[in-house]
Amino acid sequence: QKEVEQNSGPLSVPEGAIASLNCTYSDRVSQSFFWYRQYSGKSPELIMSIYSNGDKEDGRFTAQLNKASQYVSLLIRDSQPSDSATYLCAATDFYNQGGKLIFGQGTELSVKP
Amino acid sequence: DTEVTQTPKHLVMGMTNKKSLKCEQHMGHRAMYWYKQKAKKPPELMFVYSYEKLSINESVPSRFSPECPNSSLLNLHLHALQPEDSALYLCASSPQAGTDEQYFGPGTRLTVT
């Protein structure tokens, strides 16, 4: 199993719908998780971080962490065409405390007007 | 303010050239990172500096040479690169090297001819 896995997509949702992005992880990563949004040709932008079990909400975004099942998800409510981007799930390397981020392959999201 | 700046935005260099990429942050962060990203792939860690000391080198070829002159600046010196080194080079910073959130700069698009 890869340390951090995501479905590559593309995931297509209509405007106004909820987009659900999922990520699973192995024991090789620590308990710090991050979601980055990356528009084509641009750099990753941090949109959510989550460190403890449960939900964390910020505006239209909700991150969910389930340690028992080893998955982390990102929900985007009222999706907009401007949300169309690649979403990267990342976790810190448990064995390397130097700050190494382990990324999933990214999920491409397309929001159709 | 979570701004990390990088210069230049674009760089084209021949295989015999020497050039440098620059990164700057004024958030008081004590950890700075260099990543390399190829198209349709997640960022790959190259180097980590913690308190101005190199703490992680991900077995990067010696044609890439990092330097951290002070806590706000990070350079990446390039020499004798290969065409396969063409990529987006990203700088990031975080309060500490560990499980803290990392903030990325806009990147330098490098083309080696």
Side-chain angles (χ1 to χ4, degrees):
Chain A
Q1 181 192 3
K2 290 183 182 176
E3 290 123 334
V4 177
E5 288 198 73
Q6 294 180 256
N7 288 331
S8 59
L11 174 65
S12 184
V13 300
E15 184 175 356
I18 295 176
S20 178
L21 303 157
N22 300 309
C23 175
T24 57
Y25 62 89
S26 74
D27 292 334
R28 208 184 173 310
V29 304
S30 75
Q31 304 297 298
S32 301
F33 299 93
F34 309 94
W35 284 100
Y36 287 86
R37 177 176 63 196
Q38 188 170 25
Y39 293 112
S40 181
K42 302 294 185 183
S43 64
E45 175 192 6
L46 180 67
I47 52 173
M48 290 289 281
S49 59
I50 187 164
Y51 300 93
S52 54
N53 233 10
D55 293 1
K56 179 181 178 183
E57 188 174 318
D58 183 2
R60 296 186 296 113
F61 299 99
T62 299
Q64 300 174 317
L65 175 58
N66 183 322
K67 294 181 182 179
S69 301
Q70 293 187 291
Y71 81 78
V72 58
S73 62
L74 179 71
L75 301 178
I76 306 175
R77 289 182 299 283
D78 189 22
S79 295
Q80 301 296 310
S82 58
D83 294 325
S84 297
T86 296
Y87 289 79
L88 294 160
C89 174
T92 46
D93 185 340
F94 182 82
Y95 294 103
N96 183 335
Q97 298 301 304
K100 178 177 179 177
L101 277 182
I102 299 175
F103 286 90
Q105 290 299 303
T107 298
E108 187 180 345
L109 173 66
S110 177
V111 181
K112 305 292 187 187
Chain B
D1 183 13
T2 55
E3 187 178 18
V4 177
T5 59
Q6 289 186 246
T7 55
K9 288 193 172 102
H10 301 275
L11 179 62
V12 179
M13 60 185 290
M15 290 190 285
T16 58
N17 291 159
K18 286 186 181 180
K19 297 285 184 183
S20 297
L21 309 184
K22 296 187 185 303
C23 173
E24 189 167 6
Q25 57 88 14
H26 292 289
M27 296 177 279
H29 289 176
R30 304 315 303 264
M32 296 185 76
Y33 311 79
W34 281 115
Y35 288 85
K36 173 183 176 180
Q37 187 176 28
K38 303 281 265 185
K40 303 288 188 186
K41 297 290 186 184
E44 297 174 39
L45 182 67
M46 300 174 72
F47 304 103
V48 180
Y49 273 84
S50 178
Y51 288 86
E52 299 154 54
K53 293 193 186 317
L54 183 65
S55 59
I56 296 178
N57 177 340
E58 288 285 289
S59 302
V60 178
S62 60
R63 57 186 184 269
F64 296 92
S65 175
E67 178 195 20
C68 189
N70 60 55
S71 60
S72 301
L73 290 173
L74 187 65
N75 298 322
L76 185 63
H77 303 297
L78 314 173
H79 174 54
L81 294 192
Q82 304 298 309
E84 59 265 29
D85 296 321
S86 299
L88 180 66
Y89 287 83
L90 296 161
C91 175
S93 72
S94 65
Q96 302 284 335
T99 57
D100 288 348
E101 301 167 341
Q102 294 184 23
Y103 298 92
F104 285 85
T108 293
R109 177 75 59 188
L110 174 67
T111 302
V112 181
T113 61

